[in-house]
Amino acid sequence: MDAEDETVFREFVAARSPALMRLGFLLTGGDQHAAEDLVQAALAKLAGRWRRVAAPEAYARQTMYRQNISWWRTAVRRGEVVRDAVPDVPGLDRTHQSELRMVLRDALARLTARQRAVLVLRYFEDLPDHEVARLLGCSVGTVRSTAHRSLARLRQLAPELAQELEAAV
């Protein structure tokens, strides 16, 4: 964008920002910060295409509509819930679950391939012993003893998983 285009763009922004902010405020349900983000995103896209856009305000509005829809979809996928006030009840702290998953992954990596296969098939896939034995090509007794030794090894490698392991068995 050359100096002349930049001057015209700045004049457009100064003149039309209040109207775009009102639109953003309405599109975001009254969230001032989200409205500002929406206007900023639209103006940033408009600035990149300034020379090619015949109707800048229509382009900015259309961009705001589409960006807001995109944010809805992203928020739905992430499971975010926007509220007016902070809830009195604390939310779930998933940090502990994440830490347990990392510990479990590291402990599973230290088992043999057969031990991992037995544990995954038996407890994650919830297959009966005879089905695990069929899939792995071994006896039911081998599956049971391998599962027992594997769980004991997991308890040894990651004692913090003891409660979860007891609940799974």
Side-chain angles (χ1 to χ4, degrees), residues 26-67:
L26 293 171
L27 287 174
T28 60
D31 185 344
Q32 179 72 28
H33 299 291
E36 291 169 356
D37 290 344
L38 198 57
V39 171
Q40 183 177 5
L43 290 176
K45 287 183 180 184
L46 177 60
R49 294 166 182 81
W50 182 252
R51 285 182 177 223
R52 295 179 299 235
V53 175
E57 186 163 358
Y59 182 89
R61 288 175 177 271
Q62 185 71 28
T63 302
M64 289 172 66
Y65 302 142
R66 291 181 178 169
Q67 185 66 46

Side-chain angles (χ1 to χ4, degrees), residues 5 9 21-22 28 39 41 45 57 71 75 78 92 99 101-102 104 122 136 139-140 159 162 169:
D5 285 340
F9 179 73
M21 275 301 298
R22 282 191 297 275
T28 60
V39 171
K45 287 183 180 184
E57 186 163 358
W71 288 349
R78 282 193 312 245
L92 290 177
E99 290 171 358
R101 279 195 302 272
M102 290 187 314
L104 179 61
R122 181 65 187 96
L136 296 178
S139 70
V140 172
V169 178

